[in-house]
Amino acid sequence: MDEKWVYHFEDGNTRMRDLLGGKGCDLAEMSNLGLPVPPGFTITTRACRRYLSAGGVFPEQMWAQIVAAMAALGKKTRRGFGNPAQPLLVSVRSGAKFSMPGMMDTVLNLGLNDETVAVMARATTPRHAWDAYRRLVQMFGNVVLKLDNALFENILSETIAGEGAACDADISAAGWERTTAQFKTLLRKETGQEFPQDPWQQLELAVRAVFDSWNAKRAVDYRRATGIPENLGTAVNIVTMVFGNIGWDSGSGVAFTRNPSTGEKSLFGEYLLNAQGEDVVSGARTPQKIETLKDSLPRAWEELVAVAGTLERHYREMQDIEFTIESGKLWMLQTRNGKRTAAAAVKIAVDMVREQLIEKETAVKRVMPAHIDQMLHPHFDEAACQAATPIARGLNASPGAAIGTVVFDADSAKEQAAESAAVILVRPETTPDDVHGMIAAKGILTQHGGATSHAAVVARQLGKPCVTGCESIRIDMQHRCFTANGRRIREGEIISINGTTGEVYDCEMPTVAPHFEDQADLQTLLAWADTVRRLEVWANADTPEQAALARRYGAQGIGLCRTEHMFLGDRTAQFQAAILAKDETEFQTILNDVLLPLQREDFIGIFNEMDGLPVIVRLFDPPLHEFLPAREVLVRELGAMEARGDTGTTYSRKQKILEIVNDMHECNPMLGLRGCRLGLMRPALNRMQVRAIFEAACACTRNGITVHPEVMIPLTSHRNELIHIQPLLKEIAESVMAAQGVRFRYKFGTMIELPRAALTADELAQEAAFFSFGTNDLTQMTYGISRDDAERKFLLHFVEKGILPENPFQTLDAQGVGVLVEMAVVKGRQTRPDLEVGVCGEHGGDPKSIHIFHRLGLDYVSCSPYRVPVARLAAAHAVLDEATPL
């Protein structure tokens, strides 16, 4: 049986998204709901994949099915494709499974030629006919023949200027006829080809162009940025044309059933009278707010409101709809789940539960971890904004604060961002070809365009602050600058844009952290997530302040307290004094009199903040030389002092430090005397730390604080290391509790960060009551690469070239490192069934990695305090995705 490549709208439904793409299945669904959809059909995504894999050859029978479908379409519309007397005109539009706004190609008004334009002129108006024809020639030249759209826009600007028109809606029929002729001359000059007069040739080339656009650079960039798989392909939708540019009782628009920036339950969008759809999103004309349609075309407004309500109730999701009004009649051209900001995503999800449209689990699954991350990003300080004067104001298209240097093209934005520069992309208006620069930029500012323009829609999807329609700025692309309020801003100068208010500043504005506790909808959603997830979420915290922050963000314990971090900054000199002690007696004195009190006070603060929750304290891990000056610096300083003849006390002290640094020097210090090895060689350090931990825990217990200390011995590779060191430390713990007359539960465990530790986990579990995976080091050891060196030199290149699917330091390598983790969990629990197992590496805050840890049966993940809300949601998603896998 021949493959079915083509489906009429009435033959499809929303469950066929894989085959018909998002646009096709939703056009079919709207048709089945009885909504006003122009007749049409969809060529499947499978046909696209077959076409691309065959090197641009249509699948067998596909064209015959298209011809038959066009004939059926002609019967429905009482027109004929290629019929000069009653021409059928269609649009050819892309539509992948997942929405990719503007990333792939569309051709409108297909079927027009020199003969049928005259027929259309008699049926409607000459101005409308020639306007439609010039649009077809321009789109065909750009999409199919790959001419730079700027070539057409230059001619268009000349037409507008020549007629003294304010915009393209004011151009006469004669003006559009001249423009069409100029466009066709441009095609002939630039490509050596005539604009095809045969509608069937137009259709074939347009379908090929849409298929090919799946692999266009902008589409590839967008998929990589948003995580859309590369192997899906796009469907092609052939839709009977309806015209919004017939006159002032016609128009086109885009609307959202709720506000995509705030989540407010009210129709939000824009439209233009006497315009086709691309005019609204391109920024070529300033659109009107959707609510004014009730005054312009009240009947169409009432229909639109009713259709929007029907769609939202049917899909139980906020919808982004595209419509055309032809001579007063409403037609629906598209519906899809609307892109929205993080704040809107949370509000809409929570509101829809309250409205009994969806269940709590559905709400939790709809909000992405990236949304939570965006909501916790800093925003501009309100007091500073009130005190400063913005140089311009535009539309608050996508909220958030962005600071960076101005760049005027997407390539520059990408190049500078690759060098770790923060940039703001400033454009007259963005197009899909700018998407790689939008991805790289911290924020986007456009002179033209509305709240549903390309820049606004894509920025909201990417979570980028964006100000559009900033008409008070004047961009001079030739001189790479823009002017605003008498101020000239050149490329490379710093600006700040406030996507929440639409304001632009010519300076670096101060930012403040968001108030997590004040975000009621977010708190509600995360509370729902907490009832779903199995994994606990703990935090990495080294100070009482970080512990307090972690608890406010919902952490259920501290999974990593890095004690070496407690001696950075102002305390480095005190720790250096211990390292530089002249003998063991002085060393022990400094430990007891200086370092022990500092550690004890730190732990008292942390235990107080984490009352009732577990706290895992990792004993010293880095090499001691990290607390001393670099050898090269010391040699240079001593040489300079010798040259000056300065060989006094300071010189002698630096010489002593250099001797110790030389003595401690290691060729590969990260594989040298660190972790438990340091504890075994200098046991007094670890004994001091354990004494501080347990004295602090005793003090807190006496004050009514419930403590659950867990001591982690790092970098173990052999059971014998624990056999030698752990009894000495337990002895300290027991002696402190006995001396103070206080008892509480505690644990000693180890950090699994070496492959051998994972391989012999059953042996380690005989000594360790808990495992905590240090997946940063475990990844380095498994891959045999240094993270700092690799990311700087080759790792990102490997990811870009597809040599590695992902950066293994961002997302856990499930097939390599993940297997070691799984092996350690299984072997460890075979020895000790109640073994507590968690992860404290950076992977603990990565949503994809959290799914892996959930599957492997870990008890908790631990991450930065700021990532705790993200991890709470991701852990819930892991459960929900297990129940309803994608």
Side-chain angles (χ1 to χ4, degrees), residues 463-781:
K464 306 278 186 178
C466 179
V467 175
T468 61
C470 196
E471 300 289 347
S472 58
I473 70 173
R474 290 291 177 268
I475 298 175
D476 183 345
M477 293 297 294
Q478 181 179 354
H479 296 97
R480 312 290 284 186
C481 67
F482 74 85
T483 55
N485 195 27
R487 171 88 161 85
R488 174 175 289 185
I489 307 293
R490 295 177 176 81
E491 191 163 51
E493 293 188 36
I494 289 179
I495 64 170
S496 300
I497 64 169
N498 191 335
T500 307
T501 64
E503 293 171 327
V504 182
Y505 299 90
D506 61 347
C507 60
E508 183 173 345
M509 295 292 288
T511 60
V512 295
H515 297 290
F516 175 72
E517 299 84 352
D518 297 337
Q519 301 184 52
D521 287 334
L522 178 56
Q523 299 283 359
T524 297
L525 186 93
L526 289 175
W528 295 341
D530 291 341
T531 66
V532 173
R533 62 185 169 89
R534 181 191 61 76
L535 273 174
E536 292 192 357
V537 178
W538 299 11
N540 302 340
D542 310 323
T543 66
E545 293 76 18
Q546 291 175 0
L549 179 65
R551 187 147 200 176
R552 290 202 303 273
Y553 279 180
Q556 296 166 280
I558 290 180
L560 177 64
C561 176
R562 293 157 287 205
T563 52
E564 64 274 4
H565 285 196
M566 296 174 171
F567 291 101
L568 299 175
D570 296 340
R571 296 180 177 179
T572 300
Q574 293 161 310
F575 199 82
Q576 280 184 5
I579 300 171
L580 299 173
K582 63 179 181 292
D583 52 37
E584 190 64 28
T585 300
E586 184 181 354
F587 174 66
Q588 193 64 55
T589 299
I590 295 172
L591 288 185
N592 293 337
D593 296 347
V594 179
L595 303 188
L596 175 63
L598 291 174
Q599 291 259 269
R600 184 171 54 227
E601 288 305 308
D602 285 338
F603 294 134
I604 287 173
I606 291 172
F607 288 140
N608 280 331
E609 295 293 347
M610 302 306 290
D611 183 9
L613 299 179
V615 176
I616 295 180
V617 180
R618 184 179 73 184
L619 302 179
F620 280 129
D621 187 32
L624 288 183
H625 81 271
E626 289 194 0
F627 290 93
L628 296 173
R631 182 181 183 280
E632 296 77 9
V633 173
L634 286 169
V635 170
R636 187 165 56 249
E637 289 177 349
L638 285 167
M641 294 176 78
E642 289 171 359
R644 295 193 306 268
D646 182 3
T647 55
T649 304
T650 302
Y651 178 82
S652 299
R653 186 176 64 84
K654 286 184 179 290
Q655 269 196 324
K656 174 65 174 176
I657 295 174
L658 179 59
E659 290 174 8
I660 294 174
V661 168
N662 285 333
D663 184 58
M664 291 182 174
H665 175 72
E666 295 175 311
C667 294
N668 195 338
M670 296 311 290
L671 297 178
L673 188 64
R674 54 169 287 214
C676 69
R677 303 159 192 168
L678 177 63
L680 286 163
M681 298 302 292
R682 304 294 295 271
L685 272 173
N686 282 173
R687 285 201 296 264
M688 177 275 293
Q689 289 192 290
V690 171
R691 180 172 296 279
I693 292 168
F694 280 81
E695 286 180 355
C698 288
C700 289
T701 301
R702 285 196 301 270
N703 289 329
I705 301 297
T706 301
V707 297
H708 297 292
E710 302 185 17
V711 180
M712 181 158 64
I713 301 170
L715 209 74
T716 52
S717 59
H718 200 287
R719 179 191 175 196
N720 287 347
E721 292 168 328
L722 292 179
I723 289 174
H724 277 76
I725 195 171
Q726 193 163 289
L728 300 176
L729 303 180
K730 280 189 175 182
E731 182 183 344
I732 298 290
E734 290 293 332
S735 67
V736 169
M737 288 189 292
Q740 301 206 16
V742 174
R743 287 212 63 85
F744 44 80
R745 288 182 300 166
Y746 67 90
K747 292 180 182 178
F748 276 82
T750 191
M751 196 172 191
I752 307 292
E753 47 196 322
L754 298 174
R756 191 183 191 282
L759 295 169
T760 59
D762 51 342
E763 297 180 7
L764 293 178
Q766 294 179 46
E767 313 302 326
F770 70 87
F771 287 169
S772 178
F773 289 95
T775 52
N776 298 347
D777 268 336
L778 188 57
T779 299
Q780 289 195 111
M781 302 297 183

Side-chain angles (χ1 to χ4, degrees), residues 11 19 164 208 239 268 493 514 621 724 733 763 783:
D11 298 331
L19 185 66
R208 290 182 181 277
V239 188
F268 175 93
E493 293 188 36
D621 187 32
H724 277 76
E763 297 180 7
Y783 273 88

